[in-house]
Amino acid sequence: MVSGPSRVTAVIVAYNRRDLLTEVLDALAHQTRAVDAIVVVNNASTDDTSQVVRESGLDITLIELTSNTGGAGGFAVGMAAAMVRDNPDWIWVMDDDTVPDKHALLGLMNTVTAYPGSSLAAVGSRVVWTDGDEHPMNTPRENPFASSQEKSDADAVGAMPVRSLSFVSSMYRAERVRAVGYPLVDYFLWNDDFEFSTRVLRGHRGLSTPASIVVHKTARRGSTDDDPGERFRFEVRNKIWLFRHSRGLRPAEKLVYGASSLLRWGRTALKSTDRRVLREGFTRGKREAGERPPRPNTEVLRDVGVPRDVLAELGRAE
């Protein structure tokens, strides 16, 4: 029997993947531990995403934005909407190409309930690709700063202590979200989940558990050091923003993760078939990061169709 927090709200950010969104919603409808509420943020899709949501037969809070705010904006809006509309204990986030196994939420909640240490702030799922193998893009890394007690407590529930989590499928304690705020919308995409989850987990514990499985239905089984082309701009800009401005990492952690980023950028360059594009992305990202820090969420989201109560919650958290 599973006890613990009584309300879990699932938040999905959707953009022009109506068929995959249909799968995600169907999977949420058939969880063995039911979700208590669902929020879908339509990030200005040009397909019939909103119609799919309305015809799903599920009780869903649908928020339709008038501009694409990226994953960062979608999750910030969706999590704030969950907070003001549903008053959850936990917020479970996922992309619209992330299909949870029917026991995914049960696995997350069992891990929360069984964990022997102090209360968890966040817990993430095991992410596989369509072939059932680990998805290298979302493979979690053990927290290099975890104490022996943290490791022992994680081992007791068959999980791994982590310092960050992916938005592909992770669940956050609502009281921690209230304390630290929401994802930074100006990140648009890349590293928004890293920045947010490190903020949530600073001074608190997080786990990745194989008891919860989701399928990340990307077009191919890519990894974090694959050549992203022009999107490398976001990787560079957002990492610089993170190391300069985020409260998520301590100074020593910034050194460790900064060195790791440089090594990964090097691997990306070695694998690239067009290094000119990477150089241009690096130059642009570095320039943009130096021009200003990320803007307040309410400034970025003021005119994109965010409901008034949700915008007020985002403002409260700034």
Side-chain angles (χ1 to χ4, degrees), residues 141-181:
R141 301 178 187 176
E142 185 172 14
N143 180 3
F145 307 97
S147 67
S148 58
Q149 186 61 58
E150 287 178 75
K151 293 177 182 178
S152 176
D153 289 343
D155 284 343
V157 292
M160 180 177 71
V162 293
R163 187 64 181 87
S164 65
L165 288 164
S166 165
F167 282 160
V168 167
S169 175
S170 50
M171 191 172 71
Y172 300 90
R173 192 180 291 275
E175 66 186 37
R176 279 298 292 158
V177 178
R178 290 189 183 95
V180 305

Side-chain angles (χ1 to χ4, degrees), residues 17-30:
R17 288 193 283 225
R18 53 98 61 206
D19 291 336
L20 282 171
L21 178 61
T22 300
E23 289 188 57
V24 175
L25 295 179
D26 183 66
L28 288 177
H30 292 90

Side-chain angles (χ1 to χ4, degrees), residues 103-112 120 122-127 134 140 154 157-162 165 169 171 206-214:
H103 302 303
L105 182 54
L106 179 66
L108 292 172
M109 296 307 296
N110 280 345
T111 299
V112 169
L120 291 172
V123 58
S125 303
R126 175 177 177 244
V127 183
E134 298 277 351
V157 292
M160 180 177 71
V162 293
L165 288 164
S169 175
M171 191 172 71
L207 296 177
S208 174
T209 177
S212 174
I213 298 174
V214 300

